[in-house]
């Protein structure tokens, strides 16, 4: 279920753009651009904190995480958890900016909106 969160966030732009043109959208270069942007976002690890939530959900449920992948070696494990921490940092920063704007009353682009 947590992997679906990554897919939905990464592909939302493409789905919104394609909702108006449907089949015509598939045959354009903009679709390829949107795909590469979504893949770049996924590659940066911005959404990797969702894997931590998945692991904690399994832990609290008392069930092992089942995977078809082989166990990670030390370097891959370090890379994985580094991206999880990177993702947590971005999430905390975004939350801090959002909350500070809400408490300061800066919830619109300009007065009157």
């Amino acid at each position: 279920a947590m992997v679906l969160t990554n897919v939905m966030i990464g592909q939302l732009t493409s789905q919104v753009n394609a909702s108006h043109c449907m089949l015509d959208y598939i045959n354009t270069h903009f679709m390829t651009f949107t795909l590469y942007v979504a893949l770049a976002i996924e590659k940066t690890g911005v959404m990797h904190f969702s894997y931590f939530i998945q692991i904690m959900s399994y832990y609290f449920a008392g069930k092992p995480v089942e995977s078809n992948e082989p166990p990670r070696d030390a370097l891959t494990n370090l890379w994985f958890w580094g991206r999880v921490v990177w993702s947590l940092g971005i999430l905390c920063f975004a939350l801090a900016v959002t909350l500070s704007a809400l408490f300061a009353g800066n919830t619109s682009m300009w007065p009157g909106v």
Side-chain angles (χ1 to χ4, degrees), residues 105-113:
N106 299 329
T107 58
S108 62
M109 296 185 330
W110 60 81
V113 172

Side-chain angles (χ1 to χ4, degrees), residues 48-67:
H48 264 60
F49 191 70
S50 62
Y51 290 119
F52 179 74
I53 296 170
Q54 175 195 21
I55 292 168
M56 287 294 105
S57 298
Y58 275 102
Y59 175 76
F60 290 128
K63 297 183 178 184
V65 178
E66 297 177 9
S67 175

